Protein backbone atom coordinates (compact mmCIF):
# COMPACT_ATOMS: atom_id res chain seq x y z
CA UNK A 1 0.00 0.00 0.00
CA UNK A 2 1.46 3.36 -1.02
CA UNK A 3 0.61 6.99 -1.56
CA UNK A 4 1.93 9.89 -3.63
CA UNK A 5 3.94 12.59 -1.88
CA UNK A 6 5.38 15.80 -3.29
CA UNK A 7 9.18 15.87 -3.20
CA UNK A 8 11.97 18.13 -4.37
CA UNK A 9 14.46 16.13 -6.43
CA UNK A 10 18.08 17.03 -7.04
CA UNK A 11 19.56 15.64 -10.25
CA UNK A 12 22.12 16.83 -12.81
CA UNK A 13 22.89 19.92 -10.71
CA UNK A 14 19.25 21.03 -10.73
CA UNK A 15 16.27 20.94 -8.37
CA UNK A 16 12.79 20.00 -9.60
CA UNK A 17 9.39 19.43 -8.02
CA UNK A 18 7.94 15.97 -8.59
CA UNK A 19 5.90 13.22 -6.95
CA UNK A 20 7.17 10.04 -5.35
CA UNK A 21 5.37 6.88 -4.24
CA UNK A 22 5.91 6.29 -0.52
CA UNK A 23 5.12 3.12 1.45
CA UNK A 24 2.35 3.78 3.97
CA UNK A 25 3.12 3.15 7.63
CA UNK A 26 0.29 3.03 10.17
CA UNK A 27 -0.03 1.72 13.75
CA UNK A 28 -1.89 -1.53 14.38
CA UNK A 29 -3.30 -2.17 17.86
CA UNK A 30 -3.54 -5.91 18.52
CA UNK A 31 -5.91 -7.21 21.22
CA UNK A 32 -6.79 -10.68 22.51
CA UNK A 33 -10.18 -11.97 23.60
CA UNK A 34 -10.19 -15.15 25.65
CA UNK A 35 -12.19 -16.92 28.32
CA UNK A 36 -11.03 -17.12 31.92
CA UNK A 37 -13.20 -18.86 34.53
CA UNK A 38 -16.29 -18.54 32.30
CA UNK A 39 -15.67 -14.83 31.83
CA UNK A 40 -14.60 -13.21 28.57
CA UNK A 41 -11.50 -11.03 28.91
CA UNK A 42 -10.27 -8.41 26.44
CA UNK A 43 -6.52 -7.78 26.72
CA UNK A 44 -4.52 -5.23 24.74
CA UNK A 45 -1.46 -7.08 23.48
CA UNK A 46 0.78 -4.90 21.33
CA UNK A 47 1.08 -1.94 19.02
CA UNK A 48 3.15 -2.38 15.89
CA UNK A 49 3.90 -0.06 12.98
CA UNK A 50 3.00 -1.83 9.76
CA UNK A 51 2.02 -1.45 6.11
CA UNK A 52 -1.79 -1.89 6.02
CA UNK A 53 -2.88 -5.07 4.28
CA UNK A 54 -2.83 -8.76 5.26
CA UNK A 55 -3.38 -7.69 8.88
CA UNK A 56 -5.04 -11.02 9.74
CA UNK A 57 -1.96 -12.88 8.48
CA UNK A 58 0.27 -10.59 10.53
CA UNK A 59 -1.65 -11.26 13.75
CA UNK A 60 -1.93 -15.01 13.12
CA UNK A 61 1.80 -15.26 12.45
CA UNK A 62 2.66 -13.07 15.43
CA UNK A 63 0.56 -15.16 17.85
CA UNK A 64 2.05 -18.39 16.50
CA UNK A 65 5.64 -17.17 16.44
CA UNK A 66 5.38 -16.03 20.05
CA UNK A 67 3.64 -19.30 20.98
CA UNK A 68 0.55 -17.59 22.35
CA UNK A 69 -1.15 -20.10 20.06
CA UNK A 70 0.27 -23.44 18.93
CA UNK A 71 -2.03 -24.01 15.94
CA UNK A 72 -4.76 -22.33 13.93
CA UNK A 73 -7.30 -24.38 15.89
CA UNK A 74 -6.62 -22.11 18.89
CA UNK A 75 -8.13 -19.13 17.03
CA UNK A 76 -11.86 -18.56 16.66
CA UNK A 77 -11.52 -15.37 14.62
CA UNK A 78 -9.26 -12.46 13.72
CA UNK A 79 -11.20 -9.31 12.84
CA UNK A 80 -10.45 -5.66 12.24
CA UNK A 81 -12.74 -3.24 14.03
CA UNK A 82 -13.23 0.40 14.94
CA UNK A 83 -13.55 3.55 12.89
CA UNK A 84 -11.64 4.10 9.67
CA UNK A 85 -9.25 6.85 10.69
CA UNK A 86 -6.45 9.06 9.45
CA UNK A 87 -5.53 10.27 6.01
CA UNK A 88 -6.06 6.86 4.43
CA UNK A 89 -9.28 5.87 6.28
CA UNK A 90 -7.92 2.60 7.64
CA UNK A 91 -9.06 0.43 10.54
CA UNK A 92 -6.05 0.30 12.84
CA UNK A 93 -7.41 -2.08 15.48
CA UNK A 94 -7.63 -5.85 15.29
CA UNK A 95 -9.02 -8.45 17.70
CA UNK A 96 -8.02 -12.11 17.89
CA UNK A 97 -10.54 -14.28 19.71
CA UNK A 98 -9.07 -17.50 21.11
CA UNK A 99 -10.87 -20.83 21.41
CA UNK A 100 -8.24 -22.54 23.51
CA UNK A 101 -7.03 -20.11 26.17
CA UNK A 102 -5.92 -22.62 28.80
CA UNK A 103 -2.25 -21.88 28.15
CA UNK A 104 -2.53 -18.10 27.96
CA UNK A 105 -0.03 -16.62 30.40
CA UNK A 106 -1.23 -13.10 31.11
CA UNK A 107 1.83 -12.24 33.22
CA UNK A 108 4.03 -13.22 30.29
CA UNK A 109 1.94 -11.17 27.87
CA UNK A 110 2.19 -8.07 30.02
CA UNK A 111 5.93 -8.53 30.48
CA UNK A 112 6.90 -9.45 26.93
CA UNK A 113 4.44 -7.79 24.59
CA UNK A 114 2.97 -4.59 25.96
CA UNK A 115 5.42 -2.33 24.15
CA UNK A 116 5.39 0.17 21.33
CA UNK A 117 7.78 -2.00 19.35
CA UNK A 118 7.21 -4.52 16.60
CA UNK A 119 9.72 -6.63 18.48
CA UNK A 120 7.99 -9.25 20.61
CA UNK A 121 11.31 -10.48 21.94
CA UNK A 122 12.18 -7.32 23.88
CA UNK A 123 11.26 -8.83 27.25
CA UNK A 124 13.23 -12.06 26.71
CA UNK A 125 16.62 -12.09 28.35
CA UNK A 126 18.46 -15.12 26.99
CA UNK A 127 18.63 -17.98 24.51
CA UNK A 128 17.76 -20.38 27.30
CA UNK A 129 14.27 -18.88 27.56
CA UNK A 130 13.43 -20.26 24.12
CA UNK A 131 14.14 -23.83 25.19
CA UNK A 132 11.08 -23.65 27.45
CA UNK A 133 8.74 -23.35 24.45
CA UNK A 134 10.91 -24.91 21.72
CA UNK A 135 12.41 -28.24 22.73
CA UNK A 136 13.15 -29.72 19.30
CA UNK A 137 15.83 -28.61 16.86
CA UNK A 138 15.26 -28.21 13.14
CA UNK A 139 16.27 -31.11 10.91
CA UNK A 140 20.07 -31.18 10.83
CA UNK A 141 20.47 -32.11 7.15
CA UNK A 142 17.20 -31.30 5.34
CA UNK A 143 16.39 -29.74 3.02
CA UNK A 144 19.49 -29.48 0.87
CA UNK A 145 19.72 -26.54 -1.52
CA UNK A 146 22.31 -25.66 -4.14
CA UNK A 147 24.53 -22.60 -4.17
CA UNK A 148 22.78 -21.43 -7.38
CA UNK A 149 19.39 -21.44 -5.68
CA UNK A 150 20.82 -19.50 -2.72
CA UNK A 151 22.25 -16.67 -4.81
CA UNK A 152 19.11 -16.47 -6.95
CA UNK A 153 16.56 -16.35 -4.11
CA UNK A 154 16.98 -12.62 -3.22
CA UNK A 155 16.49 -11.72 -6.90
CA UNK A 156 13.41 -13.92 -7.11
CA UNK A 157 12.09 -12.28 -3.97
CA UNK A 158 12.60 -8.77 -5.31
CA UNK A 159 11.12 -9.58 -8.72
CA UNK A 160 7.97 -10.91 -7.05
CA UNK A 161 7.51 -7.88 -4.79
CA UNK A 162 4.66 -5.62 -5.84
CA UNK A 163 5.65 -2.61 -3.72
CA UNK A 164 9.46 -2.45 -3.75
CA UNK A 165 9.73 -1.37 -7.39
CA UNK A 166 7.22 1.41 -6.69
CA UNK A 167 8.58 2.77 -3.41
CA UNK A 168 11.98 1.20 -2.68
CA UNK A 169 11.02 1.43 0.99
CA UNK A 170 9.55 -1.92 1.95
CA UNK A 171 10.83 -5.28 3.19
CA UNK A 172 9.80 -8.75 2.09
CA UNK A 173 9.98 -12.33 3.31
CA UNK A 174 9.50 -15.26 0.96
CA UNK A 175 8.95 -18.98 1.42
CA UNK A 176 10.72 -21.09 -1.24
CA UNK A 177 10.79 -24.80 -1.95
CA UNK A 178 14.10 -26.64 -2.28
CA UNK A 179 13.97 -26.21 -6.08
CA UNK A 180 14.01 -22.43 -5.68
CA UNK A 181 10.36 -21.85 -6.56
CA UNK A 182 8.58 -19.11 -4.61
CA UNK A 183 5.72 -20.58 -2.56
CA UNK A 184 4.47 -17.29 -1.07
CA UNK A 185 5.60 -13.78 -0.21
CA UNK A 186 4.55 -10.92 2.05
CA UNK A 187 5.72 -7.29 2.24
CA UNK A 188 5.77 -4.69 5.00
CA UNK A 189 7.75 -1.64 6.10
CA UNK A 190 8.78 -3.71 9.12
CA UNK A 191 11.02 -6.75 8.59
CA UNK A 192 9.40 -8.53 11.54
CA UNK A 193 5.90 -7.82 10.26
CA UNK A 194 6.71 -9.11 6.76
CA UNK A 195 7.83 -12.40 8.29
CA UNK A 196 4.79 -12.60 10.59
CA UNK A 197 2.52 -12.03 7.59
CA UNK A 198 4.32 -14.72 5.58
CA UNK A 199 4.12 -17.31 8.34
CA UNK A 200 0.51 -16.42 9.10
CA UNK A 201 -0.61 -16.87 5.51
CA UNK A 202 1.32 -20.12 4.98
CA UNK A 203 -0.20 -21.58 8.15
CA UNK A 204 -3.66 -20.52 7.06
CA UNK A 205 -3.24 -21.95 3.56
CA UNK A 206 -1.51 -25.16 4.68
CA UNK A 207 1.60 -24.44 2.60
CA UNK A 208 4.23 -25.05 5.25
CA UNK A 209 6.50 -28.07 4.67
CA UNK A 210 9.71 -27.48 6.69
CA UNK A 211 11.71 -30.42 5.29
CA UNK A 212 11.51 -29.08 1.74
CA UNK A 213 11.47 -25.30 2.18
CA UNK A 214 13.58 -22.30 3.16
CA UNK A 215 12.90 -18.65 3.92
CA UNK A 216 14.64 -15.62 2.40
CA UNK A 217 14.39 -12.11 3.90
CA UNK A 218 15.25 -8.81 2.26
CA UNK A 219 17.29 -7.28 5.08
CA UNK A 220 19.70 -8.18 7.83
CA UNK A 221 18.96 -11.09 10.15
CA UNK A 222 18.52 -10.47 13.87
CA UNK A 223 17.53 -12.64 16.83
CA UNK A 224 13.79 -12.12 16.52
CA UNK A 225 13.65 -13.01 12.84
CA UNK A 226 15.52 -16.25 13.45
CA UNK A 227 13.27 -16.98 16.43
CA UNK A 228 10.17 -16.60 14.25
CA UNK A 229 11.54 -18.99 11.63
CA UNK A 230 12.54 -21.43 14.36
CA UNK A 231 8.91 -21.76 15.45
CA UNK A 232 7.97 -23.02 11.97
CA UNK A 233 10.71 -25.72 12.00
CA UNK A 234 12.05 -24.37 8.69
CA UNK A 235 15.76 -25.10 8.89
CA UNK A 236 17.31 -22.70 6.35
CA UNK A 237 17.17 -18.92 6.55
CA UNK A 238 18.73 -16.54 4.02
CA UNK A 239 19.23 -12.76 4.22
CA UNK A 240 20.79 -10.25 1.89
CA UNK A 241 22.40 -8.50 4.87
CA UNK A 242 24.43 -9.46 7.89
CA UNK A 243 23.24 -11.49 10.88
CA UNK A 244 23.74 -10.32 14.44
CA UNK A 245 25.78 -12.30 16.95
CA UNK A 246 22.69 -13.44 18.85
CA UNK A 247 21.02 -14.54 15.61
CA UNK A 248 24.03 -16.75 14.88
CA UNK A 249 24.00 -18.16 18.42
CA UNK A 250 20.29 -19.01 18.16
CA UNK A 251 20.62 -20.57 14.69
CA UNK A 252 23.59 -22.63 15.84
CA UNK A 253 21.75 -23.86 18.92
CA UNK A 254 18.81 -25.20 16.89
CA UNK A 255 20.69 -26.44 13.78
CA UNK A 256 19.31 -23.71 11.49
CA UNK A 257 21.47 -23.03 8.44
CA UNK A 258 21.93 -19.26 8.51
CA UNK A 259 23.17 -17.60 5.31
CA UNK A 260 23.88 -13.88 4.89
CA UNK A 261 25.52 -11.32 2.61
CA UNK A 262 24.07 -13.05 -0.46
CA UNK A 263 25.41 -11.53 -3.67
CA UNK A 264 25.54 -12.59 -7.31
CA UNK A 265 28.44 -14.97 -6.83
CA UNK A 266 29.04 -15.20 -3.10
CA UNK A 267 27.45 -15.66 0.32
CA UNK A 268 28.45 -16.48 3.90
CA UNK A 269 27.24 -19.60 5.73
CA UNK A 270 27.30 -18.79 9.45
CA UNK A 271 25.89 -22.03 10.87
CA UNK A 272 25.34 -25.65 9.79
CA UNK A 273 26.71 -25.86 6.24
CA UNK A 274 25.46 -29.47 5.84
CA UNK A 275 22.34 -28.32 3.99
CA UNK A 276 24.20 -26.41 1.27
CA UNK A 277 25.26 -28.16 -1.94
CA UNK A 278 28.34 -26.41 -3.36
CA UNK A 279 29.34 -28.83 -6.15
Amino acid sequence: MNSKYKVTKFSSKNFSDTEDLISIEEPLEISLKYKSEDKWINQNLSITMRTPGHDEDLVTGFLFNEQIITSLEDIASVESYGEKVGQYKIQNKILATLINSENVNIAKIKRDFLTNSSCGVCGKSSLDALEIVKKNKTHASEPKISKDIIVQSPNSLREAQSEFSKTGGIHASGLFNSSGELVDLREDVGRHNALDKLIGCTLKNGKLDPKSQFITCSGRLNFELVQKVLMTDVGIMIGVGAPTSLAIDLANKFDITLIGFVKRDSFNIYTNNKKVIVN
Side-chain angles (χ1 to χ4, degrees):
M1 191 172 186
N2 58 70
S3 181
K4 288 183 178 180
Y5 277 74
K6 293 181 179 179
V7 300
T8 300
K9 184 176 182 178
F10 177 76
S11 179
S12 301
K13 300 181 180 180
N14 293 308
F15 289 98
S16 61
D17 293 330
T18 185
E19 289 185 333
D20 198 7
L21 286 174
I22 305 297
S23 297
I24 293 174
E25 183 178 37
E26 289 274 324
L28 180 67
E29 180 182 302
I30 303 171
S31 297
L32 281 183
K33 183 178 180 181
Y34 59 93
K35 215 167 190 179
S36 177
E37 298 180 353
D38 296 325
K39 181 180 179 182
W40 283 102
I41 305 293
N42 278 57
Q43 174 73 58
N44 291 335
L45 183 62
S46 181
I47 297 174
T48 186
M49 305 302 294
R50 97 300 190 191
T51 301
H54 301 296
D55 288 340
E56 291 184 11
D57 290 342
L58 190 161
V59 172
T60 300
F62 179 77
L63 295 178
F64 177 80
N65 293 334
E66 298 298 341
Q67 290 295 280
I68 294 173
I69 63 168
T70 57
S71 75
L72 289 180
E73 295 177 356
D74 294 336
I75 300 178
S77 63
V78 181
E79 299 174 310
S80 297
Y81 69 98
E83 295 182 11
K84 295 182 178 181
V85 298
Q87 179 180 351
Y88 306 106
K89 301 300 180 185
I90 295 169
Q91 286 180 303
N92 285 331
K93 295 183 178 182
I94 194 162
L95 176 67
T97 302
L98 303 186
I99 295 174
N100 177 15
S101 56
E102 294 178 0
N103 297 322
V104 176
N105 187 332
I106 300 305
K108 179 181 186 296
I109 289 172
K110 289 182 177 179
R111 181 180 68 248
D112 291 350
F113 304 109
L114 296 185
T115 69
N116 282 339
S117 171
S118 62
C119 171
V121 78
C122 298
K124 300 184 179 74
S125 58
S126 70
L127 289 172
D128 294 336
L130 275 177
E131 291 187 335
I132 298 173
V133 295
K134 188 66 176 176
K135 300 184 184 301
N136 64 297
K137 295 184 177 182
T138 63
H139 198 283
S141 59
E142 290 182 343
K144 292 187 183 297
I145 58 174
S146 73
K147 59 179 176 32
D148 295 329
I149 288 174
I150 292 171
V151 298
Q152 181 57 38
S153 67
N155 292 331
S156 299
L157 187 69
R158 179 170 292 189
E159 289 171 1
Q161 285 187 250
S162 62
E163 290 295 313
F164 184 84
S165 61
K166 301 173 185 176
T167 67
I170 199 160
H171 285 285
S173 289
L175 181 70
F176 293 81
N177 64 26
S178 55
S179 299
E181 298 170 337
L182 184 63
V183 177
D184 220 328
L185 169 146
R186 285 292 183 267
E187 296 176 282
D188 199 278
V189 289
R191 290 173 297 137
H192 311 95
N193 293 337
L195 188 52
D196 280 336
K197 287 180 178 180
L198 174 69
I199 293 172
C201 80
T202 54
L203 286 172
K204 185 172 64 179
N205 297 328
K207 294 181 178 180
L208 201 59
D209 183 14
K211 287 189 177 182
S212 67
Q213 296 171 333
F214 65 93
I215 287 177
T216 295
C217 298
S218 60
R220 63 183 178 86
L221 304 175
N222 65 5
F223 178 92
E224 192 197 12
L225 293 178
V226 178
Q227 178 243 329
K228 291 177 185 295
V229 169
L230 172 62
M231 294 305 168
T232 69
D233 289 322
V234 171
I236 302 177
M237 187 174 187
I238 297 172
V240 299
T244 64
S245 61
L246 202 57
I248 294 173
D249 292 344
L250 178 59
N252 192 51
K253 192 165 191 174
F254 287 91
D255 281 340
I256 293 174
T257 297
L258 194 64
I259 301 170
F261 280 124
V262 180
K263 298 179 182 178
R264 185 173 60 182
D265 58 356
S266 66
F267 52 84
N268 293 344
I269 306 173
Y270 293 90
T271 59
N272 192 2
N273 61 14
K274 298 176 183 176
K275 302 174 191 175
V276 178
I277 303 170
V278 295
N279 296 330

